Amino acid sequence: MKVCRLYGDGFSLWFPWWRIRARAGLQDLRLHDLRHSFASFLVNEGVSLYVLQALLGHANARTTQRYAHLASDTLTEATEIVDGIVAAQPRMVTSLAAAQGVHVPSW
């Protein structure tokens, strides 16, 4: 059995956490896993990494990036946004590509 650190008010979160996990049948779930889920849920709903960084109390944005796992649906939606922009503005995309020396096939 692990020794629990008591906080200033004498309350330890670990004892209720063990009880909650046992009742839910989630013995392997860590409190830290909840931080990752929290971050992933928010970033996949479009919350800015900077807002998430403040909510998680991270001093460094790279730490927040490690917490926020993008779902494949979120990535697919992002590519569909770009697809819509390209479809709506083909001349602009072709002009930008030409200016950068990139060949854009005409389908």
mmCIF file of all heavy atoms in Angstrom, residues 1 13-31 34:
data_model
loop_
_atom_site.group_PDB
_atom_site.id
_atom_site.type_symbol
_atom_site.label_atom_id
_atom_site.label_comp_id
_atom_site.label_asym_id
_atom_site.label_seq_id
_atom_site.Cartn_x
_atom_site.Cartn_y
_atom_site.Cartn_z
ATOM 1 N N MET A 1 0.842 -1.192 0.000
ATOM 2 C CA MET A 1 0.000 0.000 0.000
ATOM 3 C C MET A 1 0.877 1.242 0.000
ATOM 4 O O MET A 1 1.849 1.319 0.739
ATOM 5 C CB MET A 1 -0.917 -0.028 1.218
ATOM 6 C CG MET A 1 -1.874 1.109 1.292
ATOM 7 S SD MET A 1 -2.901 0.917 2.763
ATOM 8 C CE MET A 1 -4.400 1.559 2.180
ATOM 9 N N LEU A 13 -6.431 13.200 -1.360
ATOM 10 C CA LEU A 13 -7.332 12.832 -2.439
ATOM 11 C C LEU A 13 -7.242 11.345 -2.769
ATOM 12 O O LEU A 13 -8.148 10.779 -3.366
ATOM 13 C CB LEU A 13 -7.009 13.670 -3.679
ATOM 14 C CG LEU A 13 -7.874 13.487 -4.905
ATOM 15 C CD1 LEU A 13 -9.329 13.839 -4.584
ATOM 16 C CD2 LEU A 13 -7.382 14.344 -6.033
ATOM 17 N N TRP A 14 -6.162 10.694 -2.381
ATOM 18 C CA TRP A 14 -5.915 9.321 -2.795
ATOM 19 C C TRP A 14 -6.928 8.313 -2.264
ATOM 20 O O TRP A 14 -7.320 7.399 -2.972
ATOM 21 C CB TRP A 14 -4.496 8.892 -2.428
ATOM 22 C CG TRP A 14 -3.505 9.747 -3.132
ATOM 23 C CD1 TRP A 14 -2.664 10.654 -2.582
ATOM 24 C CD2 TRP A 14 -3.287 9.824 -4.539
ATOM 25 N NE1 TRP A 14 -1.931 11.288 -3.547
ATOM 26 C CE2 TRP A 14 -2.292 10.794 -4.762
ATOM 27 C CE3 TRP A 14 -3.839 9.175 -5.639
ATOM 28 C CZ2 TRP A 14 -1.827 11.116 -6.028
ATOM 29 C CZ3 TRP A 14 -3.380 9.498 -6.893
ATOM 30 C CH2 TRP A 14 -2.389 10.458 -7.077
ATOM 31 N N PHE A 15 -7.339 8.459 -1.021
ATOM 32 C CA PHE A 15 -8.281 7.485 -0.463
ATOM 33 C C PHE A 15 -9.628 7.493 -1.193
ATOM 34 O O PHE A 15 -10.111 6.435 -1.605
ATOM 35 C CB PHE A 15 -8.467 7.696 1.042
ATOM 36 C CG PHE A 15 -7.210 7.425 1.814
ATOM 37 C CD1 PHE A 15 -6.571 8.451 2.485
ATOM 38 C CD2 PHE A 15 -6.648 6.152 1.842
ATOM 39 C CE1 PHE A 15 -5.404 8.208 3.187
ATOM 40 C CE2 PHE A 15 -5.477 5.903 2.542
ATOM 41 C CZ PHE A 15 -4.853 6.939 3.219
ATOM 42 N N PRO A 16 -10.236 8.668 -1.415
ATOM 43 C CA PRO A 16 -11.478 8.659 -2.202
ATOM 44 C C PRO A 16 -11.240 8.194 -3.643
ATOM 45 O O PRO A 16 -12.092 7.524 -4.227
ATOM 46 C CB PRO A 16 -11.960 10.116 -2.190
ATOM 47 C CG PRO A 16 -11.142 10.830 -1.202
ATOM 48 C CD PRO A 16 -9.967 9.988 -0.857
ATOM 49 N N TRP A 17 -10.084 8.526 -4.212
ATOM 50 C CA TRP A 17 -9.775 8.111 -5.575
ATOM 51 C C TRP A 17 -9.718 6.593 -5.679
ATOM 52 O O TRP A 17 -10.237 6.009 -6.618
ATOM 53 C CB TRP A 17 -8.457 8.744 -6.031
ATOM 54 C CG TRP A 17 -8.046 8.341 -7.402
ATOM 55 C CD1 TRP A 17 -6.933 7.653 -7.749
ATOM 56 C CD2 TRP A 17 -8.756 8.566 -8.624
ATOM 57 N NE1 TRP A 17 -6.884 7.447 -9.097
ATOM 58 C CE2 TRP A 17 -8.007 8.000 -9.671
ATOM 59 C CE3 TRP A 17 -9.957 9.200 -8.935
ATOM 60 C CZ2 TRP A 17 -8.400 8.036 -10.998
ATOM 61 C CZ3 TRP A 17 -10.356 9.239 -10.262
ATOM 62 C CH2 TRP A 17 -9.587 8.668 -11.272
ATOM 63 N N TRP A 18 -9.085 5.925 -4.715
ATOM 64 C CA TRP A 18 -9.034 4.458 -4.724
ATOM 65 C C TRP A 18 -10.441 3.874 -4.669
ATOM 66 O O TRP A 18 -10.768 2.919 -5.349
ATOM 67 C CB TRP A 18 -8.231 3.935 -3.548
ATOM 68 C CG TRP A 18 -6.757 4.176 -3.661
ATOM 69 C CD1 TRP A 18 -6.021 4.361 -4.795
ATOM 70 C CD2 TRP A 18 -5.839 4.271 -2.584
ATOM 71 N NE1 TRP A 18 -4.705 4.552 -4.491
ATOM 72 C CE2 TRP A 18 -4.558 4.506 -3.138
ATOM 73 C CE3 TRP A 18 -5.964 4.185 -1.203
ATOM 74 C CZ2 TRP A 18 -3.424 4.643 -2.351
ATOM 75 C CZ3 TRP A 18 -4.829 4.312 -0.420
ATOM 76 C CH2 TRP A 18 -3.579 4.541 -1.001
ATOM 77 N N ARG A 19 -11.288 4.455 -3.844
ATOM 78 C CA ARG A 19 -12.667 3.976 -3.693
ATOM 79 C C ARG A 19 -13.458 4.180 -4.993
ATOM 80 O O ARG A 19 -14.177 3.290 -5.443
ATOM 81 C CB ARG A 19 -13.346 4.704 -2.525
ATOM 82 C CG ARG A 19 -14.679 4.132 -2.136
ATOM 83 C CD ARG A 19 -15.257 4.761 -0.867
ATOM 84 N NE ARG A 19 -15.350 6.215 -0.961
ATOM 85 C CZ ARG A 19 -14.603 7.077 -0.253
ATOM 86 N NH1 ARG A 19 -13.713 6.648 0.609
ATOM 87 N NH2 ARG A 19 -14.751 8.372 -0.405
ATOM 88 N N ILE A 20 -13.308 5.339 -5.607
ATOM 89 C CA ILE A 20 -14.009 5.638 -6.867
ATOM 90 C C ILE A 20 -13.576 4.658 -7.953
ATOM 91 O O ILE A 20 -14.406 4.101 -8.672
ATOM 92 C CB ILE A 20 -13.734 7.098 -7.306
ATOM 93 C CG1 ILE A 20 -14.440 8.073 -6.356
ATOM 94 C CG2 ILE A 20 -14.164 7.329 -8.749
ATOM 95 C CD1 ILE A 20 -13.956 9.505 -6.493
ATOM 96 N N ARG A 21 -12.270 4.430 -8.083
ATOM 97 C CA ARG A 21 -11.766 3.498 -9.101
ATOM 98 C C ARG A 21 -12.280 2.084 -8.864
ATOM 99 O O ARG A 21 -12.651 1.386 -9.809
ATOM 100 C CB ARG A 21 -10.234 3.477 -9.096
ATOM 101 C CG ARG A 21 -9.632 4.686 -9.708
ATOM 102 C CD ARG A 21 -8.138 4.544 -9.828
ATOM 103 N NE ARG A 21 -7.576 3.858 -8.661
ATOM 104 C CZ ARG A 21 -6.325 3.476 -8.547
ATOM 105 N NH1 ARG A 21 -5.485 3.697 -9.531
ATOM 106 N NH2 ARG A 21 -5.877 2.888 -7.475
ATOM 107 N N ALA A 22 -12.308 1.663 -7.619
ATOM 108 C CA ALA A 22 -12.778 0.307 -7.301
ATOM 109 C C ALA A 22 -14.245 0.151 -7.688
ATOM 110 O O ALA A 22 -14.635 -0.848 -8.307
ATOM 111 C CB ALA A 22 -12.576 0.013 -5.821
ATOM 112 N N ARG A 23 -15.054 1.136 -7.345
ATOM 113 C CA ARG A 23 -16.488 1.063 -7.674
ATOM 114 C C ARG A 23 -16.732 1.080 -9.174
ATOM 115 O O ARG A 23 -17.660 0.460 -9.669
ATOM 116 C CB ARG A 23 -17.240 2.215 -7.016
ATOM 117 C CG ARG A 23 -17.404 2.041 -5.529
ATOM 118 C CD ARG A 23 -18.208 3.163 -4.934
ATOM 119 N NE ARG A 23 -18.258 3.043 -3.490
ATOM 120 C CZ ARG A 23 -18.701 3.984 -2.690
ATOM 121 N NH1 ARG A 23 -19.126 5.134 -3.187
ATOM 122 N NH2 ARG A 23 -18.709 3.805 -1.388
ATOM 123 N N ALA A 24 -15.894 1.807 -9.905
ATOM 124 C CA ALA A 24 -16.064 1.925 -11.356
ATOM 125 C C ALA A 24 -15.376 0.779 -12.106
ATOM 126 O O ALA A 24 -15.552 0.646 -13.317
ATOM 127 C CB ALA A 24 -15.504 3.259 -11.839
ATOM 128 N N GLY A 25 -14.604 -0.033 -11.401
ATOM 129 C CA GLY A 25 -13.884 -1.117 -12.049
ATOM 130 C C GLY A 25 -12.742 -0.621 -12.923
ATOM 131 O O GLY A 25 -12.419 -1.236 -13.940
ATOM 132 N N LEU A 26 -12.159 0.490 -12.550
ATOM 133 C CA LEU A 26 -11.074 1.105 -13.334
ATOM 134 C C LEU A 26 -9.793 1.168 -12.499
ATOM 135 O O LEU A 26 -9.240 2.240 -12.262
ATOM 136 C CB LEU A 26 -11.483 2.514 -13.775
ATOM 137 C CG LEU A 26 -12.729 2.607 -14.647
ATOM 138 C CD1 LEU A 26 -13.176 4.047 -14.815
ATOM 139 C CD2 LEU A 26 -12.476 1.956 -15.997
ATOM 140 N N GLN A 27 -9.312 0.019 -12.092
ATOM 141 C CA GLN A 27 -8.157 -0.040 -11.190
ATOM 142 C C GLN A 27 -6.896 0.594 -11.770
ATOM 143 O O GLN A 27 -6.062 1.097 -11.029
ATOM 144 C CB GLN A 27 -7.869 -1.494 -10.800
ATOM 145 C CG GLN A 27 -8.995 -2.175 -10.072
ATOM 146 C CD GLN A 27 -9.345 -1.518 -8.736
ATOM 147 O OE1 GLN A 27 -8.623 -0.689 -8.202
ATOM 148 N NE2 GLN A 27 -10.497 -1.890 -8.208
ATOM 149 N N ASP A 28 -6.728 0.565 -13.089
ATOM 150 C CA ASP A 28 -5.503 1.080 -13.711
ATOM 151 C C ASP A 28 -5.561 2.561 -14.057
ATOM 152 O O ASP A 28 -4.570 3.127 -14.522
ATOM 153 C CB ASP A 28 -5.177 0.291 -14.979
ATOM 154 C CG ASP A 28 -4.838 -1.155 -14.679
ATOM 155 O OD1 ASP A 28 -4.368 -1.429 -13.559
ATOM 156 O OD2 ASP A 28 -5.049 -2.007 -15.552
ATOM 157 N N LEU A 29 -6.700 3.197 -13.864
ATOM 158 C CA LEU A 29 -6.845 4.611 -14.201
ATOM 159 C C LEU A 29 -6.123 5.471 -13.175
ATOM 160 O O LEU A 29 -6.307 5.315 -11.974
ATOM 161 C CB LEU A 29 -8.326 4.998 -14.253
ATOM 162 C CG LEU A 29 -8.628 6.413 -14.710
ATOM 163 C CD1 LEU A 29 -8.257 6.604 -16.170
ATOM 164 C CD2 LEU A 29 -10.096 6.725 -14.499
ATOM 165 N N ARG A 30 -5.285 6.378 -13.680
ATOM 166 C CA ARG A 30 -4.553 7.287 -12.794
ATOM 167 C C ARG A 30 -5.197 8.668 -12.840
ATOM 168 O O ARG A 30 -5.818 9.031 -13.844
ATOM 169 C CB ARG A 30 -3.095 7.407 -13.239
ATOM 170 C CG ARG A 30 -2.362 6.087 -13.287
ATOM 171 C CD ARG A 30 -1.038 6.217 -13.995
ATOM 172 N NE ARG A 30 -1.266 6.754 -15.342
ATOM 173 C CZ ARG A 30 -0.354 7.395 -16.062
ATOM 174 N NH1 ARG A 30 0.851 7.591 -15.587
ATOM 175 N NH2 ARG A 30 -0.625 7.842 -17.276
ATOM 176 N N LEU A 31 -5.032 9.433 -11.788
ATOM 177 C CA LEU A 31 -5.530 10.815 -11.798
ATOM 178 C C LEU A 31 -4.914 11.589 -12.960
ATOM 179 O O LEU A 31 -5.568 12.400 -13.604
ATOM 180 C CB LEU A 31 -5.194 11.518 -10.477
ATOM 181 C CG LEU A 31 -6.174 11.298 -9.345
ATOM 182 C CD1 LEU A 31 -5.612 11.845 -8.042
ATOM 183 C CD2 LEU A 31 -7.517 11.925 -9.648
ATOM 184 N N LEU A 34 -6.674 11.593 -16.220
ATOM 185 C CA LEU A 34 -7.809 12.510 -16.346
ATOM 186 C C LEU A 34 -7.367 13.860 -16.913
ATOM 187 O O LEU A 34 -8.111 14.502 -17.649
ATOM 188 C CB LEU A 34 -8.514 12.693 -14.999
ATOM 189 C CG LEU A 34 -9.120 11.428 -14.404
ATOM 190 C CD1 LEU A 34 -9.768 11.742 -13.058
ATOM 191 C CD2 LEU A 34 -10.116 10.790 -15.352
#
